[in-house]
Amino acid sequence: MTSPATVVLVFLDPEFPAGRLADASRPQLLATDQGATRGDGVFESMLAVGGAVRKLQAHLDRLGGSAKVLDLVIPGQDRWRAAIETGVAEHRAKHPAPADAEDELVVKLVATRGVEGADTPTCWVQVSPVGAAGRRQRETGIDVILLDRGYDSDVAERAPWLLLGAKTLSYAVNMAALRHARKQGADDVIFTSSDGRVLEGPTSTVLLAHLETSDDGAGGIRTVRRLITPQLDSGILPGTSQGALFTAAKAAGWELGYGPLEPRDLLDADAVWLISSIRLLAPVNHIDGKEIGTPAVQKQLTAELDALYAGIQ
């Protein structure tokens, strides 16, 4: 649990160009704010390493895209950047990382529709330490279960009001799925559509890989690394981490692919991961109790992708 004492809040306020610092241990949100009463708003979560926020532009662009889907007018990117800079600098000054720990922070951007009737969004930046659980899962891997999301893979196009491609504050279903997984002894979830397609995790994007070797025709061995993710038109959130990693992997010679994927594709893969901006790459050890790939290959591929991701800014 994150203590309010280690959280820095910066509200976007027209009277404060760099953002207005607020006390996280004191009430800050009105009870009539539609973010609280209806979950009506959008958010982004980013990782800051050594004071530098990773993939900042991609997250700002996705925040703006989500807001557009909700017909929500939010401040421009320059104001968000200023508030982020204020929040990260304040946190590092007040809560410096221990000498034996990585300097990692969660930077969360939140925009709600604001107090009902006011027609003014409530927007803030929250900066807090990275939790121990996420760090641990990067190293040890996770066990997941498959859960039916209850929609078919074409519903996003047919019913855009479901907001499936936007990162909204309405995360009650996602959190319920994670609680259900933990009751079953698992760590996380991979959602499937009602027509049997692999979608995404409640807070992550699904990746799988195949490692193939063959004779190169000249007496040597040719190794092909193929990285695959579900189709983006199936109602999933476009992953900023997946997109950045695909760019880096392509430059490193990996082959890339986009679904459609079915559960058997996960079980047949040499490695599967859930990737997100804070937890990063979490290797999937088991799906519904079935072991994925082989530990040695998974470890090798994870190390290679971790090295590629480390170079992403």
Side-chain angles (χ1 to χ4, degrees):
M1 180 181 297
T2 300
S3 167
T6 60
V7 174
V8 169
L9 293 180
V10 184
F11 280 82
L12 278 68
D13 187 323
E15 297 183 9
F16 297 82
R20 174 176 56 83
L21 285 164
D23 185 350
S25 67
R26 306 291 298 172
Q28 299 292 338
L29 199 65
L30 290 174
T32 51
D33 192 290
Q34 294 175 87
T37 61
R38 296 177 176 172
D40 193 352
V42 296
F43 77 101
E44 284 289 324
S45 295
M46 308 177 292
L47 181 67
V49 180
V53 178
R54 284 185 167 181
K55 303 183 280 87
L56 176 55
Q57 188 60 53
H59 283 286
L60 289 174
D61 289 344
R62 192 170 67 178
L63 182 75
S66 295
K68 185 176 181 180
V69 171
L70 270 68
D71 296 318
L72 177 61
V73 179
I74 62 174
Q77 292 186 359
D78 286 348
R79 288 183 58 194
W80 285 103
R81 286 178 180 274
I84 292 167
E85 185 175 344
T86 297
V88 171
E90 180 75 4
H91 197 286
R92 298 186 78 212
K94 287 190 172 181
H95 311 288
D100 60 345
E102 286 192 82
D103 184 2
E104 291 187 345
L105 296 172
V106 179
V107 181
K108 189 171 183 179
L109 316 181
V110 183
T112 81
R113 203 169 296 277
V115 176
E116 190 154 0
D119 199 29
T120 302
T122 304
C123 304
W124 71 93
V125 174
Q126 175 180 311
V127 184
S128 58
V130 171
R135 294 177 187 267
R136 184 174 62 253
Q137 289 178 356
R138 298 176 197 170
E139 300 173 1
T140 63
I142 55 177
D143 293 338
V144 308
I145 59 173
L146 300 177
L147 291 183
D148 187 345
R149 179 173 265 173
Y151 301 123
D152 63 51
S153 57
D154 295 324
V155 72
E157 182 178 354
R158 191 173 66 251
W161 52 87
L162 293 175
L163 308 175
L164 294 182
K167 195 172 180 72
T168 74
L169 293 174
S170 304
Y171 256 47
V173 170
N174 289 7
M175 298 301 99
L178 289 175
R179 289 193 298 272
H180 177 78
R182 287 159 191 159
K183 290 175 184 177
Q184 312 306 311
D187 303 297
D188 214 317
V189 167
I190 293 177
F191 284 125
T192 60
S193 64
S194 59
D195 53 342
R197 297 289 176 84
V198 174
L199 298 174
E200 60 190 343
T203 63
S204 58
T205 304
V206 178
L207 297 177
L208 66 83
H210 291 284
L211 182 64
E212 301 172 2
T213 58
S214 62
D215 189 333
D216 66 1
I221 298 296
R222 178 175 179 264
T223 301
V224 176
R225 292 163 172 79
R226 182 173 294 110
L227 194 59
I228 306 170
T229 196
Q231 287 177 299
L232 295 177
D233 61 0
S234 56
I236 66 175
L237 184 72
T240 61
S241 297
Q242 171 268 315
L245 185 59
F246 263 42
T247 298
K250 182 178 182 180
W254 288 60
E255 292 185 0
L256 307 178
Y258 292 87
L261 298 174
E262 299 178 357
R264 68 170 178 267
D265 295 311
L266 299 175
L267 300 176
D268 291 341
D270 289 313
V272 176
W273 302 269
L274 292 184
I275 185 172
S276 55
S277 293
I278 308 304
R279 186 172 56 184
L280 307 181
L281 276 164
V284 175
N285 298 326
H286 298 87
I287 297 178
D288 287 343
K290 301 179 180 66
E291 186 174 28
I292 302 302
T294 59
V297 173
Q298 182 203 69
K299 184 176 181 180
Q300 173 191 341
L301 294 177
T302 299
E304 292 180 20
L305 291 177
D306 279 340
L308 291 175
Y309 198 88
I312 295 170
Q313 301 298 319

